[in-house]
Amino acid sequence: MFKVLGGLLLLGCLCCEASVRFGSSRSLQKVIIFFRHGDRSPINTYKTDPNVDYPWIGGYLALQPKGIERMYKLGHTLRNRYGWLIPKHGMYTWDTTTVLSSASERCILSAQSLLASFYEPPAGAINMTIAWQPVPVTVLDRSQDTILGQRRVCPKLDAVREKLLLDPPPESRLWLKDGFELKDFVSQRTGSEIDSMRDLFEICDNLEVVEYFGLTLPDWAVEVFPNRTNEFARGYQLTFSATDDLKRIRGGAILNELLGKMKSKHNQRLLFYSTHDVAMTNLFNTMGIQSLLEERPAFGAAVIFELYNSLGSDMEVRMLHYRNPDTSSPTPIDIPNCGKPCSLTMFELSIKDMLLDDYDRACSLDISDE
């Protein structure tokens, strides 16, 4: 009997918590979760890398066990907040949930890890001998992906970024100037020819990842890591959306996708997007959310859009941010130029100038800058 009473009290607490979170649970209509993959190995190595023989599981750019655990934890965190949106039978159904992933293996595995805990069947709800159920992950073709891996060919993007890296605008000049100085410094100490900012970014990423995994940093790293290298890596990623043209191509493509799902009349209430840090940076930069641009999105970071049926004929949009799965509650984010409450109509108006209506046309070198 005490177990029953305890269970009822726990259920009551959970219901109270849901009530606090959502106001009225019935008014929450849709949740869009846009998240970075879990902890991975470095992008690459270099000649004097003290960890060159470290046995990364799956090699470089591969999701590590630590990353699987992180995404599984994120799934639990999201389940605690949104689990009541799952059908009462506890099973995945195609008409309630959509999961999209970049073609990168680490993103696919991260999505599967998250879903394993988010969709863990409740005990006794169904007749299964394992506490797991399969949930399909739709993988976007690299050659067509404009929103997650963002690998679809775009000549204008390449041309604008090349010019920007050579002659940066004032707001980017400081970190790029530091990047040129870092390039010479790192070249001499790594024994590797650093021909581009991309090469430098990969070494900065290597330092950040190996330090995170508790491995040995090279002796010279103390002179530049973490402040200068991390700031350069953050700034380098901003170059993908540094101008209005680039924002429309990168961030605008993501906003088109998200807005379309927000306005869709389909019944899907749970939408998951497994992506990369640079795609998240492109989204934040395009929306002008400075608080989310102060550092690279961490492994397992997530941004969430909640849609509420609380404004009569319109919908209310709320934006939340999990810096990492260790955060028990997300941080509310003010959507620029949208007001409070932020209606879906106002949200669309606030991003209207950045929406991308024709990717191929925007990426054409024949189209002059506006």
Side-chain angles (χ1 to χ4, degrees), residues 80-353:
N80 289 337
R81 187 176 180 88
Y82 303 115
W84 61 275
L85 289 173
I86 298 173
K88 290 183 179 180
H89 50 62
M91 297 298 289
Y92 157 83
T93 58
W94 66 269
D95 57 334
T96 60
T97 303
T98 293
V99 186
L100 296 181
S101 173
S102 158
S104 296
E105 184 181 84
R106 58 190 179 278
C107 288
I108 301 169
L109 297 178
S110 291
Q112 292 173 334
S113 302
L114 183 155
L115 294 166
S117 55
F118 186 87
Y119 263 107
E120 180 180 344
I126 51 176
N127 185 23
M128 289 179 66
T129 58
I130 57 173
W132 174 83
Q133 61 168 310
V135 178
V137 176
T138 299
V139 178
L140 301 185
D141 187 317
R142 288 181 191 272
S143 66
Q144 300 301 316
D145 182 2
T146 63
I147 60 174
L148 299 178
Q150 300 198 311
R151 294 296 184 87
R152 185 168 173 175
V153 173
C154 184
K156 188 167 188 176
L157 173 73
D158 297 336
V160 172
R161 283 193 71 242
E162 182 178 356
K163 180 180 178 181
L164 183 145
L165 290 171
L166 292 173
D167 183 21
E171 62 271 19
S172 302
R173 195 161 291 151
L174 180 61
W175 63 259
L176 277 177
K177 175 181 178 295
D178 198 38
F180 286 116
E181 295 173 358
L182 272 175
K183 192 155 76 83
D184 294 335
F185 175 87
V186 173
S187 289
Q188 294 171 8
R189 286 154 180 81
T190 60
S192 300
E193 184 87 25
I194 299 180
D195 295 323
S196 67
M197 290 296 173
R198 173 67 188 185
D199 293 338
L200 177 60
F201 171 78
E202 290 185 5
I203 292 178
C204 292
D205 174 85
N206 180 292
L207 297 177
E208 185 175 355
V209 171
V210 301
E211 192 270 343
Y212 182 74
F213 276 87
L215 302 179
T216 303
L217 286 167
D219 294 338
W220 55 264
V222 69
E223 299 186 49
V224 294
F225 179 85
N227 293 340
R228 288 179 66 188
T229 55
N230 287 359
E231 177 62 13
F232 166 76
R234 182 188 74 89
Y236 173 81
Q237 289 196 328
L238 284 169
T239 63
F240 288 92
S241 54
T243 69
D244 283 349
D245 278 333
L246 298 184
K247 286 174 182 173
R248 288 190 192 92
I249 293 169
R250 287 300 190 234
I254 300 172
L255 287 170
N256 261 32
E257 167 72 15
L258 299 181
L259 181 64
K261 290 296 188 292
M262 291 178 186
K263 297 171 68 174
S264 172
K265 302 301 183 181
H266 291 164
N267 293 327
Q268 280 127 340
R269 304 186 74 182
L270 294 160
L271 298 100
F272 298 86
Y273 292 84
S274 186
T275 187
H276 305 265
D277 54 346
V278 67
M280 297 185 77
T281 296
N282 290 339
L283 174 62
F284 303 154
N285 201 23
T286 301
M287 292 182 70
I289 305 176
Q290 296 304 315
S291 63
L292 298 182
L293 295 172
E294 295 174 357
E295 60 183 7
R296 288 174 67 189
F299 293 125
V303 62
I304 300 171
F305 295 90
E306 298 178 340
L307 272 81
Y308 291 82
N309 187 18
S310 56
L311 297 177
S313 60
D314 208 342
M315 301 281 283
E316 179 185 352
V317 181
R318 298 182 193 175
M319 187 175 179
L320 308 170
H321 178 247
Y322 281 99
R323 186 177 179 275
N324 58 59
D326 295 329
T327 308
S328 58
S329 298
T331 301
I333 301 297
D334 290 335
I335 300 174
N337 307 312
C338 197
K340 291 183 179 180
C342 175
S343 68
L344 180 55
T345 298
M346 284 303 300
F347 176 74
E348 183 172 7
L349 287 174
S350 73
I351 62 174
K352 183 178 179 181
D353 290 342

